[in-house]
Amino acid sequence: MAALDREADDPYLWLEDLHAPQAQRWVTERNAETLEAPAQPGFGRVRDAVREVLDSKDRISFPGWRGDGFYYDFWRDADHPRGIWRRTTLEQFRRDEPEWDVLLDVDALNVAERENWTWHDVTVLKPGYDRCLIKLSRGGADARVVREFDLRERVFVEDGFTLPEAKSDVSWIDVDHIFVATDFGPGSLTSSGYPRVVKRWRRGTPLSEAELVFAGDVDDVLVSAGHQSTPGYERDLVVRRIEFYRGEQFLRTATGALVRIEVPEDAEIDVHRDWLLVQLRSSWTVGEVTYPAGALLVTDFDGQQEITVLFEPDERTSLSSWHWTRNHLLLVTMTDVRTTVRALTPGPDGWRSRPVAGAAELDHTWIVDTDPDNDDSYLISSAGFLQPATLSLGTVDGPAAVLKQAPTFFATDGMAVRQHFAVSADGTRVPYFVVGGADNGPTLLSGYGGFEVPMTPGYNGVLGRGWLARGGTYVLANIRGGGEYGPAWHRAALRENRVRAYEDFAAVASDLVARGITTPAQLGISGGSNGGLLMGVMLTRYPELFGAVVASVPLLDMRRYTKLLAGRSWIGEYGDPDVEGDWAYLREFSPYQNVRPGQPYPPVLLITSTRDDRVHPGHARKMAALLREYGYRTSYYENVEGGHGAAADNEQSATISALIYEFLWRELGR
């Protein structure tokens, strides 16, 4: 094994010190080199074309409902780089140019406060809808401040609920109380850097006097609490996340006692009115009945009724998502990565199922929002690789009317979408989509393969302008580790079986060549976060299959990942390198530990953000330094802000997209 098998022998540990002068100089030098390379007309054209898409005022909004009848939206464009939080009515939203009521202008706030805020999230008080808790982060980091905002006066509330920068979680109980999980001081965070303690905080009192609700263990991932405000069904629920896929859920009684909701630790639950949904990640035996992994079950919250199976997977079909309306349940399922939406309704003879209006047959469809406290309406959208999104408003058992049709950002003449299946090393059939025109040209293959996240078709104007419109082909691989076929597909690539995801991706690459779609020299790959780890493994294990590699905000040093930022929270996905048995398999694919001299590595572009407080920039920094030491062609770009998304505004996003597409086109079009 290489010397890097031991942490003490790592020559680039100093690059993990984000703000050390030596490390900052190294980053500045690498950025300058990378920005010099594309200093040619092609880079500028792509950047401007991408920026035009991102800033287009013709883009459609995908609004959210808060329960008060308004359509809420957060919007960025050239006039509002950091964005505006706004709302409008349905009558206005139907128009081509709605009149929006701007609630908060983040750019104006930055000027007034001399800050660098980026929008993170908001929680609106229910009922009342006159107060909210706004979360803002500096430079796009996961850590954020929380500030109470008055929706009537459009000002932050003086002496209101306010929290300093931390990875906090907050939830309204009523106008004078909130649940808060945050950094309360020494010992209040888990080893993953998330809150270990959740409290009930009363208005007008110091945070230090907040009432303890629950405290987890230091090795838990996090804890949180929430209040359900549905009239007649008010409840307080507490969550203890033991590992990424294991946890406990509790009902908090009026006396503050916690009553465990008796479901498997790896199950997910959802409570609506008097219904309890349970989604299984593993099989569950109740009495003499065993329910399979991937099933969705329902019973009454008090456990007085029998369990009913609402969905049961098969080898081709999985549950993608579910959404309550007031009286119905919308189920989105996938069969070979193609969606179907149905409505289920409880009745005296069981749950009745039928199709939902507004779902497209060939495109990917998703539920944008519902308003389960008030009615049975839903916002639904459909899009495809070559078909811009359509947003419709529907009602269960009623029609769906189109509200918005997204514009076309690139010509699709001569392009088509195909789905193929590659055969992985163990014989598993792995689906993938091919998008583009003529074969045997520059091809970009992407994938993720982790955390049960499915990779689904969708319209991407940036990809279209930056890649497809130039004659490139795009491929999306649905490898194991993702959620395309439910928990079993994910579990097949967990921990010691991680290599299955990498074998799947390599199989797709080989299948593309075998079908004549591209050649290794013309095949580039790109992925981010866990997908960045995938890229690192492809580089070090399968270099002969590719002509260029792009890894964004990547996880690469699996020896030290649990010691960096949120890394310990992912032990359930990858394993623990401090456990000898786990390191035995992690060391076999950890990219940083497997870089070797004299290999046929293709050119590499590594992208990260100094403000990424989820995946440490040290992963990308050290990998770039080691590859450069061995003489490999390595480009590196680190944005000073942007968090895990690597960009804090459209200008930064356009620059990064242009760097990626120009790098790939330059290397694959040789």
Side-chain angles (χ1 to χ4, degrees), residues 62-177:
F62 293 91
W65 290 333
R66 305 287 176 179
D68 56 359
F70 289 107
Y71 284 56
Y72 286 81
D73 167 60
F74 188 77
W75 182 266
R76 288 192 181 105
D77 58 27
D79 297 328
H80 308 96
R82 291 302 167 102
I84 52 176
W85 184 40
R86 59 188 189 174
R87 69 185 182 187
T88 192
T89 63
L90 173 58
E91 179 185 0
Q92 283 290 330
F93 189 73
R94 291 182 187 275
R95 300 181 180 183
D96 292 338
E97 296 184 6
E99 293 183 6
W100 289 93
D101 179 12
V102 176
L103 303 172
L104 181 66
D105 184 326
V106 180
D107 294 281
L109 182 67
N110 282 336
V111 171
E113 298 186 348
R114 297 183 179 181
E115 267 289 1
N116 185 32
W117 297 124
T118 59
W119 178 264
H120 192 279
D121 196 4
V122 64
T123 302
V124 176
L125 173 65
K126 297 181 180 182
Y129 310 101
D130 57 347
R131 295 290 180 93
C132 63
L133 298 170
I134 291 178
K135 302 171 189 175
L136 301 167
S137 73
R138 291 181 173 91
D142 282 353
R144 57 266 188 183
V145 302
V146 179
R147 299 166 66 175
E148 186 177 0
F149 189 79
D150 189 318
L151 281 166
R152 291 177 178 168
E153 301 297 327
R154 313 298 165 80
V155 295
F156 288 104
V157 178
E158 186 175 355
D159 298 325
F161 291 116
T162 303
L163 293 172
E165 192 173 59
K167 294 183 179 180
S168 303
D169 183 79
V170 291
S171 173
W172 287 104
I173 301 172
D174 57 42
V175 69
D176 290 322
H177 299 87

Side-chain angles (χ1 to χ4, degrees), residues 595-619:
V595 174
R596 301 287 185 269
Q599 300 300 308
Y601 294 162
V604 181
L605 171 61
L606 293 156
I607 292 175
T608 190
S609 163
T610 311
R611 288 291 291 166
D612 187 348
D613 55 353
R614 192 180 312 173
V615 175
H616 198 289
H619 286 278

Side-chain angles (χ1 to χ4, degrees), residues 28-351:
T28 300
E29 292 169 0
R30 301 292 79 75
N31 281 355
E33 293 168 354
T34 299
L35 290 173
E36 285 174 4
Q40 48 192 298
F43 172 79
R45 285 196 298 269
V46 174
R47 181 194 57 208
D48 293 346
V50 169
R51 183 72 186 274
E52 186 177 291
V53 172
L54 295 174
D55 284 340
S56 172
K57 296 184 185 299
D58 293 328
R59 290 176 296 129
I60 66 172
S61 165
F62 293 91
W65 290 333
R66 305 287 176 179
D68 56 359
F70 289 107
Y71 284 56
Y72 286 81
D73 167 60
F74 188 77
W75 182 266
R76 288 192 181 105
D77 58 27
D79 297 328
H80 308 96
R82 291 302 167 102
I84 52 176
W85 184 40
R86 59 188 189 174
R87 69 185 182 187
T88 192
T89 63
L90 173 58
E91 179 185 0
Q92 283 290 330
F93 189 73
R94 291 182 187 275
R95 300 181 180 183
D96 292 338
E97 296 184 6
E99 293 183 6
W100 289 93
D101 179 12
V102 176
L103 303 172
L104 181 66
D105 184 326
V106 180
D107 294 281
L109 182 67
N110 282 336
V111 171
E113 298 186 348
R114 297 183 179 181
E115 267 289 1
N116 185 32
W117 297 124
T118 59
W119 178 264
H120 192 279
D121 196 4
V122 64
T123 302
V124 176
L125 173 65
K126 297 181 180 182
Y129 310 101
D130 57 347
R131 295 290 180 93
C132 63
L133 298 170
I134 291 178
K135 302 171 189 175
L136 301 167
S137 73
R138 291 181 173 91
D142 282 353
R144 57 266 188 183
V145 302
V146 179
R147 299 166 66 175
E148 186 177 0
F149 189 79
D150 189 318
L151 281 166
R152 291 177 178 168
E153 301 297 327
R154 313 298 165 80
V155 295
F156 288 104
V157 178
E158 186 175 355
D159 298 325
F161 291 116
T162 303
L163 293 172
E165 192 173 59
K167 294 183 179 180
S168 303
D169 183 79
V170 291
S171 173
W172 287 104
I173 301 172
D174 57 42
V175 69
D176 290 322
H177 299 87
I178 66 171
F179 286 124
V180 54
T182 189
D183 185 350
F184 293 101
S188 66
L189 298 180
T190 68
S191 54
S192 298
Y194 295 104
R196 186 183 68 84
V197 176
V198 60
K199 298 184 178 183
R200 185 177 185 268
W201 188 13
R202 180 166 59 88
R203 183 182 299 280
T205 64
L207 181 62
S208 59
E209 295 181 6
E211 172 192 359
L212 177 66
V213 172
F214 181 75
D217 295 335
V218 68
D219 287 330
D220 290 347
V221 174
L222 57 80
V223 301
S224 64
H227 176 74
Q228 295 191 328
S229 58
T230 303
Y233 301 92
E234 294 87 350
R235 298 184 185 94
D236 293 336
L237 299 175
V238 176
V239 175
R240 176 195 179 199
R241 183 60 62 185
I242 301 170
E243 292 180 353
F244 204 90
Y245 304 107
R246 291 178 52 237
E248 296 174 334
Q249 294 88 20
F250 304 89
L251 172 68
R252 185 173 187 263
T253 68
T255 64
L258 299 183
V259 179
R260 171 85 187 277
I261 299 173
E262 296 297 337
V263 298
E265 287 187 347
D266 63 349
E268 295 294 329
I269 70 165
D270 184 21
V271 182
H272 172 66
R273 302 174 79 82
D274 53 4
W275 296 109
L276 172 66
L277 288 180
V278 182
Q279 185 188 28
L280 300 179
R281 280 200 175 94
S282 58
S283 61
W284 184 31
T285 300
V286 180
E288 297 182 355
V289 180
T290 297
Y291 302 99
L296 183 68
L297 315 177
V298 68
T299 185
D300 68 307
F301 185 76
D302 295 327
Q304 301 302 311
Q305 297 184 13
E306 293 185 356
I307 293 174
T308 299
V309 179
L310 297 181
F311 171 82
E312 187 170 329
D314 59 37
E315 62 180 12
R316 297 178 56 217
T317 304
S318 65
L319 178 62
S320 178
S321 64
W322 68 83
H323 310 264
W324 286 104
T325 70
R326 182 178 177 87
N327 300 298
H328 311 276
L329 180 66
L330 305 180
L331 289 191
V332 184
T333 61
M334 287 196 300
T335 301
D336 289 334
V337 205
R338 298 175 185 272
T339 50
T340 300
V341 185
R342 299 186 69 82
L344 278 68
T345 305
D349 298 323
W351 289 70

Side-chain angles (χ1 to χ4, degrees), residues 455-669:
M455 303 299 288
T456 55
Y459 189 83
N460 186 332
V462 170
L463 174 71
R465 285 278 184 94
W467 190 254
L468 294 173
R470 303 170 76 180
T473 297
Y474 175 68
V475 181
L476 180 63
N478 302 114
I479 63 177
R480 281 175 286 184
E484 289 86 348
Y485 292 101
W489 194 250
H490 171 233
R491 193 168 53 249
L494 276 181
R495 297 173 60 90
E496 65 271 14
N497 295 317
R498 197 79 204 164
V499 293
R500 299 302 181 210
Y502 309 139
E503 291 170 350
D504 289 358
F505 198 79
V508 171
S510 297
D511 201 60
L512 289 168
V513 174
R515 293 178 185 273
I517 294 171
T518 191
T519 65
Q522 294 176 303
L523 179 57
I525 56 176
S526 179
S529 191
N530 172 75
L533 170 60
L534 172 66
M535 299 301 108
V537 175
M538 292 300 107
L539 174 71
T540 53
R541 288 173 73 101
Y542 302 97
E544 70 283 354
L545 295 180
F546 309 107
V549 176
V550 178
S552 301
V553 291
L555 191 66
L556 296 167
D557 181 357
M558 303 306 287
R559 170 81 268 186
R560 283 184 51 75
Y561 88 92
T562 56
K563 297 176 173 62
L564 300 173
L565 300 174
R568 285 198 64 83
S569 65
W570 311 321
I571 286 176
E573 183 81 10
Y574 303 118
D576 187 347
D578 292 330
V579 174
E580 184 177 355
D582 289 4
W583 178 239
Y585 64 78
L586 284 166
R587 72 195 301 183
E588 295 300 319
F589 65 77
S590 178
Y592 187 56
Q593 279 70 32
N594 280 282
V595 174
R596 301 287 185 269
Q599 300 300 308
Y601 294 162
V604 181
L605 171 61
L606 293 156
I607 292 175
T608 190
S609 163
T610 311
R611 288 291 291 166
D612 187 348
D613 55 353
R614 192 180 312 173
V615 175
H616 198 289
H619 286 278
R621 289 181 176 186
K622 296 194 303 179
M623 188 73 169
L626 186 58
L627 288 168
R628 285 169 52 84
E629 176 189 333
Y630 288 153
Y632 295 113
R633 292 178 55 204
T634 307
S635 300
Y636 180 89
Y637 182 73
E638 181 174 318
N639 194 19
V640 295
E641 56 184 2
H644 195 51
D649 56 36
N650 290 346
E651 180 181 6
Q652 295 173 15
S653 294
T655 295
I656 290 173
S657 293
L659 282 174
I660 292 172
Y661 292 132
E662 274 302 291
F663 168 79
L664 290 169
W665 199 262
R666 186 170 63 246
E667 299 300 336
L668 304 178

